[in-house]
């Protein structure tokens, strides 16, 4: 492992190490470090597998020639996070006779990580999963914290489990092949950590956003490590989202409504989160919790990252509110939002008046 590799430890009942750096997918000892048995199912997708699967297989075999490594590739994209592909992954484990000490290696973005992680959670009531995220979003969010899930026609992530990985290995060189739009989407989640709990990081991002967009390995590793450290601190204290883990959903109530209203065929998740964070900041000002200057600062940074900050044309505020009220039914405490008291200081606020939400949505259509 090179001296430039960053590590973040995630504590709690099931501790693990997140390793971040250039070239780590060639590091057999790191990848194989937690593999106990001899069966490995490498789950990836149709875009990522041709680029990186053989690299991972060669690295694993270089230190564990005895490993039986089989592959299962999903079609790329959210539409693969289904019961059908979950069943196929389970069939692949059955076909190789995977034992309880088998491991799944999830190589890809959050779609692969969520589905493969859920298969690991279920096979024989839980086998080891090593997350090898290849999108920025998966490196800073989806691969860390143990949430795994698949989608149903009724909604996203409706079936899943908390199943922490045994290790996370993020090779920043994989980001060189990631489409720019996906890199920007990941930056929205990076900016989120600054917005909810770290003003110094927000300042650092303002200074370094061009280096991040330019794909500079060192700057990306620094941003990923700092983001993971924030997520690690939160999930260690609140692994099952009974409290502060909900702060990670800053902007997400608006984002989920936007994504659903666009039938998941408009803004991608990170883009919708960018718009959602601006709307959450505006709602905070409308309710007298924060200054408008904070909204302007956040908007400026997101725009510099090339992310959208206004509501897409054609979305109806009443329809968006109705979507958000579906969330409300799952909660006893009225419309709930993660809002902020200004940059770096977020809080979950219950019983937010509908009129305030509607007024922010109407204003966002005009801006
Ligand atoms: P994704 O997995 O669909 O990846 C985006 C696209 O990039 C895909 O087409 C993929 O094939 C491609 N790709 C991935 N890595 C690449 C690379 N290095 N080079 C070239 N192409 C590459 O999307 P995502 O944004 O990574 O993840 C979104 C998913 O993550 C959603 O399903 C969301 O629900 C989930 N998620 C989960 C958590 C969690 O805590 N479990 C958190 C956030 C998001
Ligand atoms: N992505 C939010 C969480 O992991 O809780």
């Amino acid at each position: 492992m090179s001296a430039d590799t960053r590590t973040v430890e995630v504590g709690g009942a099931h501790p693990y190490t997140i390793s971040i750096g250039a070239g780590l997918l060639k590091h057999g000892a790191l990848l194989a470090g937690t593999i106990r048995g001899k069966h490995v199912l490498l789950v990836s997708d149709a875009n990522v597998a041709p680029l990186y699967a053989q690299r991972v297989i060669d690295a694993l075999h270089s230190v564990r020639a005895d490993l039986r490594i089989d592959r299962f590739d999903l079609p790329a994209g959210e539409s693969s996070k289904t019961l059908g592909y979950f069943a196929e992954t389970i069939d692949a484990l059955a076909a190789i006779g995977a034992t309880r000490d088998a491991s799944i290696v999830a190589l890809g973005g959050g779609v692969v990580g969520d589905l493969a992680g859920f298969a690991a959670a279920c096979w024989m009531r839980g086998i080891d999963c090593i997350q090898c995220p290849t999108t920025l979003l998966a490196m800073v969010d989806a691969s860390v914290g143990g949430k795994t899930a698949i989608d149903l026609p009724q909604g996203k992530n409706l079936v899943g489990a908390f199943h922490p990985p045994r290790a996370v290995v993020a090779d920043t060189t994989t980001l060189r092949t990631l489409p720019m739009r996906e890199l920007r989407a990941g930056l929205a989640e990076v900016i989120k950590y600054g917005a909810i709990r770290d003003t110094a990081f927000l300042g650092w991002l303002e200074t370094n956003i061009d280096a991040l967009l330019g794909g500079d390995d060192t700057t990306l590793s620094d941003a990923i490590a700092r983001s993971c450290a924030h997520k690690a601190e939160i999930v260690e204290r609140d692994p099952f989202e009974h409290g502060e883990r909900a702060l990670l959903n800053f902007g997400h109530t608006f984002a989920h409504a936007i994504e659903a209203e666009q039938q998941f065929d408009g803004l991608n998740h990170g883009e919708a989160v960018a718009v959602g964070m601006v709307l959450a900041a505006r709602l905070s000002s409308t309710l007298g919790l924060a200054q408008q200057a904070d909204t302007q600062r956040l908007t400026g940074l997101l725009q510099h990252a090339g992310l959208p900050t206004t509501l897409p044309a054609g979305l109806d505020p009443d329809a968006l509110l109705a979507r958000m009220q579906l969330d409300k039914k799952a909660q006893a405490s009225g419309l709930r939002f993660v809002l902020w008291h200004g940059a770096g200081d977020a809080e979950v606020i219950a019983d937010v008046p509908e009129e305030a939400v509607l007024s922010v949505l109407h204003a966002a259509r005009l801006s």
Side-chain angles (χ1 to χ4, degrees):
M1 207 152 58
S2 100
D4 291 336
T5 303
R6 276 82 164 157
T7 56
V8 176
E9 302 299 331
V10 185
H14 303 282
Y16 52 97
T17 303
I18 305 166
S19 304
I20 304 144
L24 296 188
L25 288 187
K26 290 184 178 163
H27 199 299
L30 183 64
L31 291 167
T34 61
I35 293 179
R36 296 177 294 127
K38 65 177 190 334
H39 290 131
V40 173
L41 183 67
L42 176 61
V43 182
S44 190
D45 78 19
N47 291 334
V48 177
L51 295 169
Y52 303 113
Q54 197 55 46
R55 192 177 297 187
V56 170
I57 292 169
D58 291 346
L60 286 171
H61 275 152
S62 73
V63 293
R64 286 281 310 271
D66 63 315
L67 287 178
R68 172 174 176 178
I69 306 173
D70 285 78
R71 284 183 46 189
F72 182 69
D73 295 343
L74 301 164
E78 185 72 28
S79 56
S80 296
K81 241 176 77 175
T82 59
L83 271 173
Y85 284 111
F86 168 75
E88 289 193 29
T89 312
I90 293 294
D91 284 346
L93 287 163
I96 61 175
T99 43
R100 290 204 71 177
D101 56 3
S103 298
I104 286 186
V105 174
L107 174 70
V111 165
V112 168
D114 274 11
L115 183 137
F118 184 48
C122 295
W123 179 252
M124 294 197 170
R125 300 194 183 90
I127 59 170
D128 293 342
C129 182
I130 296 140
Q131 292 281 351
C132 299
T134 63
T135 64
L136 182 59
L137 186 137
M139 290 180 188
V140 300
D141 192 358
S143 66
V144 177
K147 279 187 182 175
T148 71
I150 52 171
D151 303 333
L152 294 183
Q154 293 86 341
K156 259 185 74 142
N157 296 329
L158 287 183
V159 182
F162 287 96
H163 187 65
R166 292 276 292 151
V168 180
V169 179
D171 182 341
T172 52
T173 62
T174 61
L175 298 177
R176 293 176 193 162
T177 55
L178 188 67
M180 198 61 197
R181 186 176 174 196
E182 300 295 342
L183 187 79
R184 293 183 200 281
L187 281 174
E189 298 285 3
V190 172
I191 291 168
K192 179 191 76 183
Y193 292 109
I196 62 172
R197 67 198 311 267
D198 188 350
T199 37
F201 187 35
L202 215 49
W204 183 90
L205 288 168
E206 284 163 342
T207 307
N208 289 286
I209 195 73
D210 290 327
L212 292 167
L213 289 167
D216 179 67
D217 272 331
T218 307
T219 318
L220 279 166
S221 290
D222 287 342
I224 295 162
R226 196 144 164 185
S227 300
C228 287
H230 280 299
K231 184 150 183 187
E233 234 182 270
I234 290 176
V235 300
E236 245 174 73
R237 284 197 293 260
D238 183 20
F240 302 115
E241 199 170 317
H242 295 313
E244 72 170 311
R245 186 165 181 169
L247 296 180
L248 296 172
N249 297 330
F250 184 57
H252 285 57
T253 305
F254 286 110
H256 290 153
I258 293 168
E259 287 178 272
E261 271 303 285
Q262 295 190 312
Q263 278 78 46
F264 298 96
D265 196 22
L267 298 186
N268 66 27
H269 180 66
E271 291 165 344
V273 167
V275 176
M277 289 193 291
V278 171
L279 296 179
R282 287 195 189 156
L283 182 55
S284 305
S285 307
T286 302
L287 296 173
L289 299 173
Q291 306 292 318
Q292 280 185 0
D294 285 302
T295 311
Q296 280 153 10
R297 181 181 180 191
L298 178 64
T299 307
L301 178 55
L302 292 167
Q303 285 175 345
H304 199 144
L307 286 157
T309 55
T310 56
L311 213 50
L315 289 184
D316 172 19
D318 291 308
L320 289 167
L321 181 66
R323 294 266 181 197
M324 292 187 264
Q325 282 166 329
L326 286 180
D327 278 344
K328 174 186 166 189
K329 284 189 189 138
Q331 303 287 343
S333 51
L335 265 181
R336 277 160 59 100
F337 285 86
V338 183
L339 299 179
W340 72 1
H341 299 281
D345 185 11
E347 188 187 351
V348 177
I349 306 281
D351 288 322
V352 174
E354 284 176 18
E355 310 76 61
V357 180
L358 271 179
S359 105
V360 164
L361 288 170
H362 277 288
R365 283 206 308 177
L366 306 173
S367 60

